[in-house]
Amino acid sequence: MGQRRRGGAGKPRKVASMLQPADNSFSLKSSSPASNPNSYNPVKTVSSPVEQATIGRSLVIKGEISGSESLYIDGRIEGKISLPDNRVTIGRNGSVQANIIAREIVIMGKVNGNIECGDRVDIRSEGSVTGDVSTVRISVEDGAVLKGGIQVRSAEPKPEKHQTQSQIKPAETSKPSASEPPKALAANSGA
């Protein structure tokens, strides 16, 4: 029996053989993390903040803000914000005393100033706006505060005018053919 215990050295061999499959499983695991970087979810979240500037809670800015990237405001702004092609988000701690011009505006904090929006204004339940709002679309959740005038305008008439003109032109071309339907029908039926 003592030799069998020494034969226990065979157990390390078994352990070694167990380690080899474990190494194979690690190699499989190492190939699965290779598939995780392919998901790029962390990379996307890293690249999104790069495209969105952030003004933190303790920051106070007095003056004009303009640029070509989205902006998240959790601090205090006094002046003017002009980002006509981008999104401005006022966080829960954000306080803005400025006129805002942006494509899309989400308000969870406080805004005191006029808003001119190219697409959509979204005032969340915690949000507060004191000032006039001019936008194409607006969403005001229950509990939100809105003091001021609202102008909801249509941004799509310009493309629709072009579409209606293009629709009218074919109709105009079809009208002359409509005045001569027997010839057109005869030509089509003869062909």
Side-chain angles (χ1 to χ4, degrees), residues 100-113:
I100 303 172
I101 299 172
R103 179 182 49 84
E104 184 177 351
I105 301 171
V106 177
I107 301 167
M108 295 177 277
K110 295 180 181 181
V111 174
N112 187 359

Side-chain angles (χ1 to χ4, degrees), residues 3 67 69 84 88 100 105 111 113 129 134 136 139 148 151 154 157 175:
Q3 290 177 349
E69 61 186 276
V88 174
I100 303 172
I105 301 171
V111 174
V129 175
S134 176
V136 175
S139 170
Q151 178 186 4
S154 178
K175 286 180 184 178

Side-chain angles (χ1 to χ4, degrees), residues 114-173:
N114 297 333
I115 295 174
E116 186 176 328
C117 187
D119 185 23
R120 179 179 178 180
V121 173
D122 187 7
I123 306 171
R124 303 285 172 89
S125 60
E126 310 91 6
S128 170
V129 175
T130 302
D132 295 337
V133 177
S134 176
T135 184
V136 175
R137 299 183 297 161
I138 187 166
S139 170
V140 181
E141 289 184 356
D142 288 343
V145 176
L146 177 58
K147 296 177 184 176
I150 301 173
Q151 178 186 4
V152 178
R153 63 185 189 282
S154 178
E156 297 177 321
K158 293 177 184 177
E160 287 180 307
K161 287 181 183 177
H162 294 295
Q163 290 175 355
T164 55
Q165 288 175 356
S166 64
Q167 290 171 353
I168 291 171
K169 289 178 183 177
E172 290 173 359
T173 57

